Amino acid sequence: DRDLEKSRSSHLTRSHEFEQQMKALRNPKRRKAIKAVFQEHYQAARTKLNLNPKDVSKLQVSSRPDISGSGGPREVLAYYAALWWVSRSPEFGSPFSVPIIVDCPAQSGQDAVNLPAMLHFISTGLPPDAQVFVTYEADVAEKFDARINLTVPYSLLLESEYAENAEFILP
């Protein structure tokens, strides 16, 4: 009984610690600050991506955009860019850093004005310390740290090129 009570007490203490941590994470002031930073970055991204002006003051962090047409991919990119900025903000204590993957920004009929705006935004408008992977079917003028040209259909990497490309991918 003593061993069980000791184990139970230890688990209850740990449970209480977790509850306190969750309470701190759900703190209304913290949530409000996260929302404000998210909205600020979302609005800035929307402007850089040539999207129509929109009042984002009521927008929730969990309100993923769902629009169609050429504005859809730009709106989604703006939304996720704002999330990445918030998740990388030291003031919110984010414990992780995930790569940013943008799969072919030329979808949904991006025109000669908006496609370059998207590519420029991807190369300059995302967190500078983030690892960004972009797939694209043509050459682009934007400056990126490295390019891996894929030459074999349905193959991300060729075994013969692994060592050369690993230095870019593994870090």
Side-chain angles (χ1 to χ4, degrees):
D1 283 350
R2 236 178 287 155
D3 288 344
L4 284 175
E5 183 56 34
K6 186 177 178 181
S7 177
R8 179 181 165 277
S9 177
S10 173
H11 289 299
L12 287 173
T13 300
R14 192 74 177 126
S15 173
H16 179 70
E17 290 170 0
F18 284 136
E19 287 173 12
Q20 294 306 309
Q21 289 174 1
M22 289 302 292
K23 187 176 181 180
L25 292 173
R26 291 184 180 133
N27 178 307
K29 284 184 181 180
R30 181 177 186 274
R31 290 174 65 172
K32 186 176 181 178
I34 288 172
K35 183 178 175 182
V37 169
F38 170 80
Q39 289 171 342
E40 175 187 332
H41 283 286
Y42 184 61
Q43 186 64 48
R46 287 181 52 79
T47 300
K48 290 177 184 175
L49 290 167
N50 301 327
L51 289 162
N52 292 330
K54 177 180 177 180
D55 178 20
V56 298
S57 64
K58 303 256 189 273
L59 184 72
Q60 299 299 315
V61 176
S62 60
S63 301
R64 185 180 184 274
D66 184 24
I67 65 170
S68 59
S70 69
R74 290 180 285 134
E75 183 96 25
V76 169
L77 180 57
Y79 171 80
Y80 280 107
L83 284 180
W84 287 315
W85 278 104
V86 169
S87 71
R88 300 181 70 79
S89 176
E91 74 181 280
F92 303 126
S94 179
F96 61 90
S97 173
V98 297
I100 299 168
I101 299 172
V102 182
D103 185 19
C104 198
Q107 297 177 19
S108 297
Q110 297 304 315
D111 58 31
V113 172
N114 291 315
L115 183 56
M118 286 182 78
L119 293 170
H120 182 72
F121 180 79
I122 292 167
S123 70
T124 63
L126 298 174
D129 61 337
Q131 185 179 34
V132 180
F133 292 91
V134 182
T135 63
Y136 197 75
E137 295 177 359
D139 197 18
V140 295
E142 290 300 323
K143 178 93 172 116
F144 291 95
D145 292 336
R147 292 175 191 239
I148 301 172
N149 293 318
L150 306 177
T151 57
V152 177
Y154 309 110
S155 296
L156 178 60
L157 293 175
L158 300 176
E159 190 173 343
S160 62
E161 295 177 354
Y162 182 75
E164 177 186 342
N165 292 316
E167 67 185 73
F168 295 115
I169 295 173
L170 293 177

